[in-house]
Amino acid sequence: MDLYVPSWAEVIVEGRARIVAPKRELFLREDGVYEPSHAPVFYNPVMVFNRDLMVALLNIYSRSMARISTASDPMAATGVRGIRIALEVEGVSEIFLNDIDPTACRIAKLNVVINSLMGVSRIYCEDSNQHMISLSKSGIHVDFLDIDPYGSPSPFIESAVRLPKIGGLLAMTATDLGPLTGRYPAKVYRRYHATTTRDLDFGKEAGLRILVAHSIIKASERDIALKPVMAYYADHYYRAYFSIDRGASKADALLKRLGYIVVCKGCGYRSVATEVEDLRCPVCGLRAITLGPLWLGSLADREILARLSRAEEDFPWLQTRERISSLAKILLSEEDVGRPYYYKVDSVARVVKSNMPPIGELIECLRSMGYRVSRTHFDRIGVRTDADFKDIASCIRSRGVVRRQGLEASSSGSLVSSSRREV
Ligand SMILES: C[S@@+](CC[C@H](N)C(=O)[O-])C[C@H]1O[C@@H](n2cnc3c(N)ncnc32)[C@H](O)[C@@H]1O
């Protein structure tokens, strides 16, 4: 094997690993920003948060839920993910790295050597679906499997659910946020067999819940129960961790928590439904849209979130420990509200023809009426609450300044994404 660092690469440090990765200055887009997919091997420094959180979560899971001693990254690129697991997760004794690209395989091998992990690493260079199926057919099952493709994980889910052990974990990253958040509904239907719509003000959450639902449905075909342990949105991607269990009744129990969200784009009304409904909005009478199937249950395990919220003390070597802890805290507060959608305050304010109030004041108003309320990690101007829509509207009206006549006349007043509109 060629054990030299190519001229286009350099050694960087991530977590406790030393990694041969592309020199960023050689692979810039026209706007001067580093583009990982332009490099001979994929390495994205923005994903340090994704990998740091994985290291923290695996340590927590291994200490308190089920031991993690083997792990697989079937789309490994430089191998950084698996190498960090071997170096930073207590008790890991074997990692499986694979990539279809021969350059990636060569760099992954080099990184294994640099980090002195030859004795615990197995490296393959084949298609990941073929790889996962052939490992499981030969009786190899791992405690943790990480699906980390470009774009959608959907084409890999069917093979992926075969590889983890019962009691183990499956994680996946999805970067196809354009379709999943609703920009391309037809593509979502093809990839995820779910209905969504453009310009949805909580489109970021609907996309994640569609991804989770689709994974649960795919796994249930093999009587495997994928239970969400932690699913979130960050930067430009979704990330979902599932625990793996087997049994038709366990899979059925999860399927029962899938459903639909009925939403009216005219006035902002939304509610949960157990089946596809063709109905008119009970508030304004417009035809409502039914989204789904989506996962309507919890997006994260409270115990894991509570432990992740202490990441600063428990994982002091992680570069993004503060961000991990903040995300865990906000996810915990979202779980307390227990509604599978949020409201984008500027959108609701537009519908009720008021200016957007300070979010803190809106939260205080809804709490004073006895409702549960939280901010959401999906959107800095989003609010998750179990309040009735009319009370959200009334709090916004009372705290926002009612628009001047002229502004009212120029507003269409529909509840769509505000990104292209002025508040
Ligand atoms: C997003 S990168 C993986 C990043 C890596 N897991 C990390 O944390 O840095 C996706 C990788 O999947 C590989 N890949 C794409 N399609 C594949 C396939 N069908 N089988 C195996 N590897 C594949 C690509 O060569 C690329 O290296």
Side-chain angles (χ1 to χ4, degrees):
M1 189 186 65
D2 304 328
L3 274 183
Y4 65 89
V5 178
S7 58
W8 49 263
E10 63 188 346
V11 179
I12 55 113
V13 174
E14 185 186 306
R16 290 182 173 155
R18 293 173 66 235
I19 296 293
V20 172
K23 287 180 182 159
R24 293 186 210 180
E25 67 275 16
L26 297 183
F27 306 103
L28 304 179
R29 296 194 307 233
E30 274 180 9
D31 60 4
V33 174
Y34 167 64
E35 177 50 66
S37 63
H38 288 181
V41 173
F42 190 94
Y43 173 78
N44 190 352
V46 172
M47 296 302 245
V48 172
F49 175 63
N50 179 315
R51 290 184 287 265
D52 275 1
L53 200 155
M54 172 198 71
V55 164
L57 190 147
L58 291 186
N59 273 303
I60 289 168
Y61 198 83
S62 193
R63 280 174 206 159
S64 56
M65 284 149 184
R67 193 101 191 120
I68 303 283
S69 49
T70 52
S72 157
D73 181 354
M75 281 165 273
T78 60
V80 58
R81 199 172 273 280
I83 288 170
R84 287 198 59 190
I85 293 173
L87 295 175
E88 299 174 49
V89 179
E90 286 162 27
V92 170
S93 54
E94 194 168 29
I95 54 167
F96 296 81
L97 305 178
N98 174 71
D99 203 287
I100 200 165
D101 174 21
T103 309
C105 299
R106 189 170 74 73
I107 297 297
K109 271 182 202 157
L110 180 55
N111 282 323
V112 160
V113 172
I114 287 177
N115 289 281
S116 307
L117 292 172
M118 292 84 77
V120 300
S121 310
R122 297 214 219 166
I123 302 173
Y124 304 78
C125 200
E126 54 195 7
D127 172 74
S128 57
N129 278 326
Q130 190 189 322
H131 172 72
M132 291 186 282
I133 290 171
S134 70
L135 281 189
S136 65
K137 274 192 174 165
S138 56
I140 296 174
H141 295 279
V142 293
D143 299 306
F144 176 62
L145 170 62
D146 202 311
I147 301 297
D148 189 20
Y150 303 124
S152 170
S154 185
F156 306 102
I157 296 174
E158 204 171 324
S159 335
V161 295
R162 299 170 179 219
L163 190 53
K165 288 180 192 162
I166 301 307
L169 282 177
L170 167 65
M172 60 182 76
T173 303
T175 58
D176 56 335
L177 258 63
L180 276 170
T181 56
R183 211 176 315 143
Y184 310 111
K187 206 168 199 176
V188 173
Y189 196 78
R190 285 198 307 278
R191 278 189 193 161
Y192 298 97
H193 311 121
T195 302
T196 187
T197 183
R198 285 198 183 92
D199 293 332
L200 188 64
D201 70 331
F202 66 101
K204 284 181 190 157
E205 177 162 3
L208 179 58
R209 289 184 179 276
I210 286 171
L211 170 70
V212 170
H214 179 69
S215 308
I216 290 171
I217 293 168
K218 293 297 290 177
S220 72
E221 291 168 9
R222 304 186 73 85
D223 289 346
I224 290 173
L226 285 191
K227 186 173 174 207
V229 164
M230 182 174 181
Y232 65 92
Y233 159 82
D235 302 320
H236 61 288
Y237 62 88
Y238 291 132
R239 179 84 167 152
Y241 291 85
F242 299 92
S243 63
I244 305 260
D245 208 343
R246 188 184 294 283
S249 59
K250 288 171 184 158
D252 288 345
L254 287 161
L255 290 173
K256 286 199 179 103
R257 297 172 75 189
L258 306 187
Y260 299 86
I261 295 177
V262 177
V263 57
C264 172
K265 279 191 180 176
C267 71
Y269 168 84
R270 63 203 62 180
S271 67
V272 165
T274 48
E275 34 190 78
V276 178
E277 291 185 20
D278 183 20
L279 48 75
R280 295 211 166 262
C281 171
V283 176
C284 73
L286 273 185
R287 186 165 294 287
I289 296 166
T290 304
L291 314 171
L294 314 108
W295 169 248
L296 297 177
S298 290
L299 284 177
D301 178 281
R302 302 180 60 85
E303 177 63 27
I304 287 184
L305 292 180
R307 288 170 186 251
L308 280 173
S309 71
R310 300 192 293 268
E312 284 164 272
E313 303 95 79
D314 294 348
F315 305 102
W317 74 94
L318 297 179
Q319 189 190 322
T320 62
R321 57 194 180 277
E322 235 176 89
R323 189 175 169 197
I324 293 171
S325 150
S326 309
L327 175 67
K329 285 176 188 157
I330 193 164
L331 286 172
L332 262 176
S333 68
E334 293 190 61
E335 285 301 318
D336 287 343
V337 176
R339 284 287 188 276
Y341 47 71
Y342 60 92
Y343 295 87
K344 211 160 169 244
V345 179
D346 60 345
S347 302
V348 184
R350 189 177 321 103
V351 169
V352 303
K353 297 186 167 48
S354 168
N355 281 350
M356 192 176 105
I359 309 275
E361 284 190 23
L362 171 63
I363 290 176
E364 188 190 296
C365 176
L366 290 168
R367 283 200 180 129
S368 73
M369 295 170 97
Y371 290 117
R372 286 176 287 183
V373 197
S374 153
R375 286 182 182 262
T376 172
H377 78 289
F378 288 104
D379 198 311
R380 70 188 163 76
I381 52 168
V383 165
R384 186 181 303 280
T385 178
D386 59 352
D388 288 341
F389 186 77
K390 66 173 176 27
D391 289 329
I392 301 171
S394 115
C395 275
I396 289 181
R397 279 201 199 94
S398 71
R399 307 292 157 130
V401 181
V402 178
R403 289 178 169 197
R404 282 173 290 123
Q405 201 71 30
L407 276 177
E408 280 184 24
S410 65
S411 163
S412 72
S414 72
L415 192 83
V416 297
S417 168
S418 64
S419 53
R420 283 165 287 128
R421 291 172 178 228
E422 206 177 80
V423 178

